Structure formats: structure tokens, C-alpha cells
Short mmCIF file of all heavy atoms in Angstrom, two decimals:
data_model
loop_
_atom_site.label_atom_id
_atom_site.label_comp_id
_atom_site.label_asym_id
_atom_site.label_seq_id
_atom_site.Cartn_x
_atom_site.Cartn_y
_atom_site.Cartn_z
N PHE Z 2 64.59 132.39 79.83
CA PHE Z 2 65.37 132.70 81.04
C PHE Z 2 64.51 132.52 82.29
O PHE Z 2 64.94 131.94 83.29
CB PHE Z 2 65.91 134.14 80.96
CG PHE Z 2 66.68 134.54 82.21
CD1 PHE Z 2 67.94 134.06 82.44
CD2 PHE Z 2 66.12 135.41 83.12
CE1 PHE Z 2 68.66 134.41 83.57
CE2 PHE Z 2 66.80 135.77 84.26
CZ PHE Z 2 68.07 135.29 84.47
N ARG Z 3 63.28 133.04 82.22
CA ARG Z 3 62.35 132.88 83.37
C ARG Z 3 62.10 131.43 83.69
O ARG Z 3 62.10 131.01 84.86
CB ARG Z 3 61.03 133.57 83.10
CG ARG Z 3 61.05 135.04 83.33
CD ARG Z 3 59.64 135.61 83.16
NE ARG Z 3 59.64 137.03 83.18
CZ ARG Z 3 59.53 137.75 84.28
NH1 ARG Z 3 59.41 137.18 85.46
NH2 ARG Z 3 59.55 139.07 84.23
N ALA Z 4 61.91 130.62 82.67
CA ALA Z 4 61.62 129.20 82.85
C ALA Z 4 62.86 128.50 83.46
O ALA Z 4 62.72 127.65 84.35
CB ALA Z 4 61.23 128.54 81.54
N THR Z 5 64.04 128.86 83.00
CA THR Z 5 65.26 128.26 83.56
C THR Z 5 65.40 128.61 85.02
O THR Z 5 65.75 127.75 85.82
CB THR Z 5 66.47 128.78 82.75
OG1 THR Z 5 66.29 128.45 81.39
CG2 THR Z 5 67.72 128.14 83.26
N GLN Z 6 65.21 129.90 85.34
CA GLN Z 6 65.34 130.33 86.73
C GLN Z 6 64.28 129.68 87.65
O GLN Z 6 64.57 129.29 88.75
CB GLN Z 6 65.26 131.85 86.85
CG GLN Z 6 66.37 132.58 86.15
CD GLN Z 6 67.73 132.30 86.77
OE1 GLN Z 6 68.23 131.18 86.80
NE2 GLN Z 6 68.33 133.35 87.27
N ARG Z 7 63.07 129.58 87.13
CA ARG Z 7 61.99 128.92 87.92
C ARG Z 7 62.31 127.44 88.14
O ARG Z 7 62.11 126.92 89.23
CB ARG Z 7 60.65 129.04 87.21
CG ARG Z 7 59.51 128.50 88.04
CD ARG Z 7 58.21 128.63 87.35
NE ARG Z 7 57.79 130.05 87.31
CZ ARG Z 7 56.65 130.46 86.86
NH1 ARG Z 7 55.79 129.60 86.33
NH2 ARG Z 7 56.36 131.72 86.86
N ASN Z 8 62.87 126.79 87.13
CA ASN Z 8 63.24 125.39 87.26
C ASN Z 8 64.40 125.24 88.28
O ASN Z 8 64.37 124.33 89.09
CB ASN Z 8 63.68 124.83 85.89
CG ASN Z 8 63.91 123.36 85.94
OD1 ASN Z 8 63.20 122.61 86.67
ND2 ASN Z 8 64.88 122.90 85.21
N THR Z 9 65.38 126.11 88.20
CA THR Z 9 66.50 126.09 89.16
C THR Z 9 65.98 126.27 90.60
O THR Z 9 66.36 125.53 91.51
CB THR Z 9 67.50 127.21 88.86
OG1 THR Z 9 67.99 127.04 87.52
CG2 THR Z 9 68.65 127.21 89.83
N PHE Z 10 65.07 127.22 90.78
CA PHE Z 10 64.52 127.47 92.10
C PHE Z 10 63.68 126.29 92.59
O PHE Z 10 63.82 125.90 93.76
CB PHE Z 10 63.68 128.75 92.07
CG PHE Z 10 63.19 129.23 93.39
CD1 PHE Z 10 64.04 129.36 94.47
CD2 PHE Z 10 61.84 129.51 93.55
CE1 PHE Z 10 63.57 129.79 95.69
CE2 PHE Z 10 61.36 129.94 94.79
CZ PHE Z 10 62.22 130.10 95.86
N SER Z 11 62.84 125.73 91.75
CA SER Z 11 62.00 124.61 92.17
C SER Z 11 62.84 123.38 92.51
O SER Z 11 62.53 122.67 93.46
CB SER Z 11 60.96 124.29 91.11
OG SER Z 11 61.55 123.83 89.95
N LEU Z 12 63.90 123.12 91.73
CA LEU Z 12 64.78 122.00 92.05
C LEU Z 12 65.48 122.19 93.40
O LEU Z 12 65.64 121.24 94.20
CB LEU Z 12 65.81 121.79 90.93
CG LEU Z 12 65.29 121.19 89.63
CD1 LEU Z 12 66.39 121.19 88.58
CD2 LEU Z 12 64.75 119.81 89.85
N HIS Z 13 65.91 123.43 93.66
CA HIS Z 13 66.56 123.69 94.95
C HIS Z 13 65.59 123.50 96.08
O HIS Z 13 65.96 122.90 97.11
CB HIS Z 13 67.10 125.13 94.94
CG HIS Z 13 67.70 125.52 96.25
ND1 HIS Z 13 68.86 125.00 96.74
CD2 HIS Z 13 67.21 126.36 97.22
CE1 HIS Z 13 69.13 125.53 97.94
NE2 HIS Z 13 68.14 126.37 98.23
N LEU Z 14 64.38 123.96 95.92
CA LEU Z 14 63.36 123.78 96.99
C LEU Z 14 63.06 122.29 97.19
O LEU Z 14 62.94 121.83 98.34
CB LEU Z 14 62.09 124.52 96.64
CG LEU Z 14 62.14 126.06 96.71
CD1 LEU Z 14 60.85 126.65 96.21
CD2 LEU Z 14 62.44 126.50 98.12
N GLU Z 15 62.96 121.56 96.14
CA GLU Z 15 62.67 120.12 96.22
C GLU Z 15 63.82 119.41 96.96
O GLU Z 15 63.55 118.57 97.82
CB GLU Z 15 62.52 119.55 94.81
CG GLU Z 15 62.03 118.13 94.79
CD GLU Z 15 61.87 117.66 93.35
OE1 GLU Z 15 61.18 118.37 92.57
OE2 GLU Z 15 62.45 116.61 93.01
N ARG Z 16 65.06 119.73 96.64
CA ARG Z 16 66.21 119.12 97.29
C ARG Z 16 66.27 119.46 98.80
O ARG Z 16 66.76 118.68 99.59
CB ARG Z 16 67.51 119.53 96.64
CG ARG Z 16 67.85 118.68 95.41
CD ARG Z 16 69.23 119.04 94.89
NE ARG Z 16 69.01 119.85 93.69
CZ ARG Z 16 69.53 121.02 93.45
NH1 ARG Z 16 70.37 121.58 94.29
NH2 ARG Z 16 69.25 121.66 92.34
N SER Z 17 65.83 120.64 99.12
CA SER Z 17 65.89 121.06 100.56
C SER Z 17 64.61 120.75 101.30
O SER Z 17 64.46 121.12 102.46
CB SER Z 17 66.22 122.53 100.67
OG SER Z 17 65.24 123.31 99.99
N GLY Z 18 63.67 120.04 100.67
CA GLY Z 18 62.46 119.59 101.37
C GLY Z 18 61.41 120.65 101.54
O GLY Z 18 60.58 120.56 102.43
N LYS Z 19 61.42 121.65 100.70
CA LYS Z 19 60.42 122.74 100.76
C LYS Z 19 59.53 122.69 99.53
O LYS Z 19 59.85 122.08 98.53
CB LYS Z 19 61.13 124.09 100.89
CG LYS Z 19 61.94 124.21 102.17
CD LYS Z 19 62.68 125.51 102.22
CE LYS Z 19 63.36 125.72 103.53
NZ LYS Z 19 64.37 124.75 103.85
N ARG Z 20 58.36 123.36 99.66
CA ARG Z 20 57.40 123.35 98.57
C ARG Z 20 57.52 124.61 97.73
O ARG Z 20 57.86 125.67 98.25
CB ARG Z 20 55.98 123.24 99.12
CG ARG Z 20 55.70 121.92 99.79
CD ARG Z 20 54.26 121.82 100.27
NE ARG Z 20 53.99 122.87 101.26
CZ ARG Z 20 52.96 123.69 101.22
NH1 ARG Z 20 52.10 123.65 100.21
NH2 ARG Z 20 52.77 124.62 102.12
N LEU Z 21 57.20 124.49 96.48
CA LEU Z 21 57.11 125.65 95.58
C LEU Z 21 55.68 126.17 95.62
O LEU Z 21 54.80 125.69 94.91
CB LEU Z 21 57.52 125.27 94.14
CG LEU Z 21 57.53 126.42 93.12
CD1 LEU Z 21 58.60 127.41 93.48
CD2 LEU Z 21 57.77 125.88 91.73
N THR Z 22 55.45 127.12 96.51
CA THR Z 22 54.08 127.66 96.69
C THR Z 22 53.81 128.76 95.69
O THR Z 22 54.74 129.33 95.11
CB THR Z 22 53.97 128.22 98.14
OG1 THR Z 22 54.90 129.30 98.28
CG2 THR Z 22 54.21 127.15 99.17
N PRO Z 23 52.55 129.09 95.46
CA PRO Z 23 52.23 130.19 94.56
C PRO Z 23 52.85 131.52 95.01
O PRO Z 23 53.21 132.34 94.17
CB PRO Z 23 50.68 130.26 94.59
CG PRO Z 23 50.27 128.91 95.01
CD PRO Z 23 51.35 128.39 95.92
N GLU Z 24 52.95 131.71 96.32
CA GLU Z 24 53.56 132.94 96.83
C GLU Z 24 55.02 133.03 96.44
O GLU Z 24 55.52 134.07 96.06
CB GLU Z 24 53.42 133.03 98.38
CG GLU Z 24 52.00 133.28 98.85
CD GLU Z 24 51.18 131.98 98.93
OE1 GLU Z 24 51.73 130.89 98.72
OE2 GLU Z 24 49.97 132.09 99.22
N ARG Z 25 55.74 131.92 96.54
CA ARG Z 25 57.16 131.91 96.15
C ARG Z 25 57.34 132.10 94.69
O ARG Z 25 58.29 132.79 94.27
CB ARG Z 25 57.81 130.59 96.61
CG ARG Z 25 58.03 130.52 98.11
CD ARG Z 25 58.68 129.22 98.53
NE ARG Z 25 58.97 129.25 99.94
CZ ARG Z 25 59.08 128.17 100.68
NH1 ARG Z 25 58.96 126.97 100.16
NH2 ARG Z 25 59.33 128.28 101.98
N VAL Z 26 56.44 131.57 93.88
CA VAL Z 26 56.52 131.79 92.43
C VAL Z 26 56.27 133.25 92.11
O VAL Z 26 56.96 133.86 91.28
CB VAL Z 26 55.48 130.89 91.67
CG1 VAL Z 26 55.39 131.25 90.24
CG2 VAL Z 26 55.86 129.43 91.87
N PHE Z 27 55.31 133.89 92.85
CA PHE Z 27 55.01 135.30 92.62
C PHE Z 27 56.23 136.17 93.01
O PHE Z 27 56.57 137.13 92.31
CB PHE Z 27 53.80 135.68 93.45
CG PHE Z 27 53.36 137.11 93.27
CD1 PHE Z 27 53.01 137.60 92.02
CD2 PHE Z 27 53.29 137.95 94.34
CE1 PHE Z 27 52.60 138.91 91.84
CE2 PHE Z 27 52.90 139.29 94.19
CZ PHE Z 27 52.55 139.76 92.95
N ILE Z 28 56.90 135.84 94.13
CA ILE Z 28 58.09 136.56 94.56
C ILE Z 28 59.18 136.42 93.49
O ILE Z 28 59.85 137.39 93.12
CB ILE Z 28 58.57 136.07 95.93
CG1 ILE Z 28 57.56 136.43 97.00
CG2 ILE Z 28 59.96 136.63 96.26
CD1 ILE Z 28 57.81 135.76 98.34
N LEU Z 29 59.37 135.18 92.99
CA LEU Z 29 60.39 134.94 91.99
C LEU Z 29 60.10 135.73 90.70
O LEU Z 29 61.00 136.38 90.17
CB LEU Z 29 60.46 133.44 91.68
CG LEU Z 29 61.40 133.02 90.54
CD1 LEU Z 29 62.85 133.31 90.95
CD2 LEU Z 29 61.20 131.59 90.18
N ASP Z 30 58.87 135.70 90.23
CA ASP Z 30 58.53 136.41 89.00
C ASP Z 30 58.69 137.92 89.15
O ASP Z 30 59.17 138.59 88.24
CB ASP Z 30 57.11 136.07 88.56
CG ASP Z 30 56.97 134.69 88.01
OD1 ASP Z 30 58.01 134.12 87.57
OD2 ASP Z 30 55.84 134.15 87.98
N THR Z 31 58.33 138.45 90.31
CA THR Z 31 58.49 139.86 90.56
C THR Z 31 59.98 140.26 90.61
O THR Z 31 60.38 141.25 90.05
CB THR Z 31 57.80 140.28 91.87
OG1 THR Z 31 56.43 139.85 91.84
CG2 THR Z 31 57.82 141.80 92.05
N ALA Z 32 60.79 139.41 91.28
CA ALA Z 32 62.21 139.68 91.35
C ALA Z 32 62.87 139.62 89.99
O ALA Z 32 63.72 140.44 89.67
CB ALA Z 32 62.89 138.68 92.32
N LEU Z 33 62.45 138.67 89.16
CA LEU Z 33 63.04 138.56 87.83
C LEU Z 33 62.64 139.76 86.93
O LEU Z 33 63.31 140.05 85.98
CB LEU Z 33 62.60 137.28 87.16
CG LEU Z 33 63.16 135.98 87.76
CD1 LEU Z 33 62.57 134.76 87.07
CD2 LEU Z 33 64.66 135.98 87.70
N GLY Z 34 61.58 140.43 87.29
CA GLY Z 34 61.14 141.61 86.53
C GLY Z 34 61.81 142.90 86.97
O GLY Z 34 61.67 143.93 86.29
N MET Z 35 62.55 142.88 88.05
CA MET Z 35 63.24 144.10 88.51
C MET Z 35 64.36 144.44 87.55
O MET Z 35 65.10 143.56 87.12
CB MET Z 35 63.78 143.89 89.95
CG MET Z 35 62.70 143.56 90.97
SD MET Z 35 61.50 144.84 91.22
CE MET Z 35 62.35 145.84 92.40
N LYS Z 36 64.52 145.70 87.24
CA LYS Z 36 65.53 146.14 86.24
C LYS Z 36 66.97 146.18 86.80
O LYS Z 36 67.87 145.85 86.09
CB LYS Z 36 65.15 147.52 85.74
CG LYS Z 36 63.82 147.59 85.07
CD LYS Z 36 63.86 146.88 83.71
CE LYS Z 36 62.51 147.04 83.02
NZ LYS Z 36 62.25 145.96 82.15
N SER Z 37 67.14 146.62 88.01
CA SER Z 37 68.50 146.69 88.58
C SER Z 37 68.47 146.13 89.99
O SER Z 37 67.58 145.38 90.34
CB SER Z 37 68.96 148.16 88.58
OG SER Z 37 68.15 148.92 89.44
N HIS Z 38 69.47 146.48 90.79
CA HIS Z 38 69.53 145.95 92.14
C HIS Z 38 68.33 146.51 92.94
O HIS Z 38 67.78 147.57 92.65
CB HIS Z 38 70.86 146.29 92.82
CG HIS Z 38 71.16 147.75 92.87
ND1 HIS Z 38 71.76 148.41 91.81
CD2 HIS Z 38 70.94 148.67 93.81
CE1 HIS Z 38 71.91 149.66 92.13
NE2 HIS Z 38 71.42 149.86 93.32
N PHE Z 39 67.92 145.74 93.98
CA PHE Z 39 66.75 146.12 94.75
C PHE Z 39 66.91 145.60 96.18
O PHE Z 39 67.66 144.68 96.44
CB PHE Z 39 65.47 145.58 94.12
CG PHE Z 39 65.48 144.06 93.93
CD1 PHE Z 39 65.02 143.21 94.91
CD2 PHE Z 39 66.02 143.52 92.78
CE1 PHE Z 39 65.05 141.82 94.75
CE2 PHE Z 39 66.02 142.14 92.58
CZ PHE Z 39 65.56 141.29 93.58
N THR Z 40 66.18 146.21 97.12
CA THR Z 40 66.14 145.77 98.47
C THR Z 40 64.86 144.93 98.66
O THR Z 40 63.99 144.91 97.76
CB THR Z 40 66.11 146.94 99.46
OG1 THR Z 40 64.92 147.70 99.26
CG2 THR Z 40 67.35 147.81 99.30
N ALA Z 41 64.74 144.30 99.79
CA ALA Z 41 63.52 143.53 100.08
C ALA Z 41 62.31 144.44 100.09
O ALA Z 41 61.23 144.05 99.62
CB ALA Z 41 63.67 142.81 101.42
N ASN Z 42 62.43 145.66 100.60
CA ASN Z 42 61.31 146.57 100.60
C ASN Z 42 60.94 147.05 99.21
O ASN Z 42 59.76 147.25 98.93
CB ASN Z 42 61.62 147.78 101.54
CG ASN Z 42 61.62 147.35 102.99
OD1 ASN Z 42 60.85 146.48 103.40
ND2 ASN Z 42 62.47 147.96 103.77
N ASP Z 43 61.91 147.22 98.35
CA ASP Z 43 61.63 147.57 96.94
C ASP Z 43 60.81 146.46 96.30
O ASP Z 43 59.85 146.72 95.59
CB ASP Z 43 62.92 147.76 96.14
CG ASP Z 43 63.70 148.98 96.59
OD1 ASP Z 43 63.11 149.87 97.20
OD2 ASP Z 43 64.91 149.00 96.31
N LEU Z 44 61.21 145.23 96.56
CA LEU Z 44 60.48 144.06 96.00
C LEU Z 44 59.08 144.00 96.55
O LEU Z 44 58.14 143.73 95.85
CB LEU Z 44 61.28 142.78 96.29
CG LEU Z 44 60.75 141.51 95.69
CD1 LEU Z 44 60.72 141.60 94.15
CD2 LEU Z 44 61.60 140.34 96.11
N ARG Z 45 58.95 144.30 97.84
CA ARG Z 45 57.63 144.25 98.46
C ARG Z 45 56.70 145.31 97.87
O ARG Z 45 55.53 145.05 97.60
CB ARG Z 45 57.78 144.48 99.97
CG ARG Z 45 56.52 144.33 100.75
CD ARG Z 45 56.80 144.29 102.22
NE ARG Z 45 55.57 144.14 102.93
CZ ARG Z 45 55.14 145.03 103.81
NH1 ARG Z 45 55.82 146.07 104.11
NH2 ARG Z 45 53.97 144.84 104.41
N GLN Z 46 57.25 146.49 97.60
CA GLN Z 46 56.44 147.56 96.96
C GLN Z 46 56.05 147.19 95.55
O GLN Z 46 54.95 147.47 95.11
CB GLN Z 46 57.22 148.87 96.96
CG GLN Z 46 57.34 149.51 98.33
CD GLN Z 46 58.18 150.75 98.32
OE1 GLN Z 46 58.84 151.04 97.32
NE2 GLN Z 46 58.20 151.44 99.44
N ALA Z 47 56.93 146.52 94.83
CA ALA Z 47 56.62 146.08 93.47
C ALA Z 47 55.54 145.01 93.47
O ALA Z 47 54.76 144.92 92.52
CB ALA Z 47 57.86 145.55 92.77
N MET Z 48 55.45 144.22 94.53
CA MET Z 48 54.45 143.15 94.57
C MET Z 48 53.10 143.65 95.03
O MET Z 48 52.09 142.98 94.82
CB MET Z 48 54.92 142.04 95.53
CG MET Z 48 56.08 141.25 95.04
SD MET Z 48 56.44 139.80 96.04
CE MET Z 48 56.56 140.44 97.65
N GLU Z 49 53.03 144.86 95.61
CA GLU Z 49 51.74 145.38 96.09
C GLU Z 49 50.72 145.56 94.99
O GLU Z 49 49.53 145.43 95.23
CB GLU Z 49 51.97 146.70 96.84
CG GLU Z 49 52.56 146.50 98.22
CD GLU Z 49 52.80 147.82 98.92
OE1 GLU Z 49 52.53 148.89 98.35
OE2 GLU Z 49 53.24 147.76 100.09
#
């Protein structure tokens, strides 16, 4: 599932002319690890 979501995200970035940076991958992996709904601040605290 993680690989599929990462592939979907990277294809979208490629189509829109953006790069898949390590920071974006880290944000994606952290978001995929969240158990339920979350806010941006919740995600930021999880990444700390």
C-alpha cells in the first residue's frame, strides 16, 4: 500500500512539474503512518 501511494504521489508530482524531494517523501510516510484523521499540526508533531 505504501509503495502504491508513493508511486501515485510521485507520478502526480512529475506530471505537475515538481520534484519528489526527501522532505516530501518523509511527509508522505509520516501521513501514511497516522492511525485516524489528523490536522497539519498533528502531522508536524509526529514528524518532530
Side-chain angles (χ1 to χ4, degrees):
F2 178 75
R3 279 186 188 271
T5 303
Q6 296 295 63
R7 185 180 288 183
N8 187 37
T9 302
F10 186 52
S11 65
L12 287 174
H13 175 71
L14 289 175
E15 188 178 307
R16 275 186 256 126
S17 58
K19 295 177 175 61
R20 294 182 298 128
L21 182 65
T22 62
E24 290 83 5
R25 287 181 175 155
V26 171
F27 182 59
I28 293 169
L29 176 67
D30 287 339
T31 307
L33 292 176
M35 301 295 276
K36 298 289 183 208
S37 65
H38 57 275
F39 56 91
T40 63
N42 289 327
D43 294 338
L44 186 60
R45 186 168 179 241
Q46 288 175 352
M48 290 190 308
E49 285 179 358

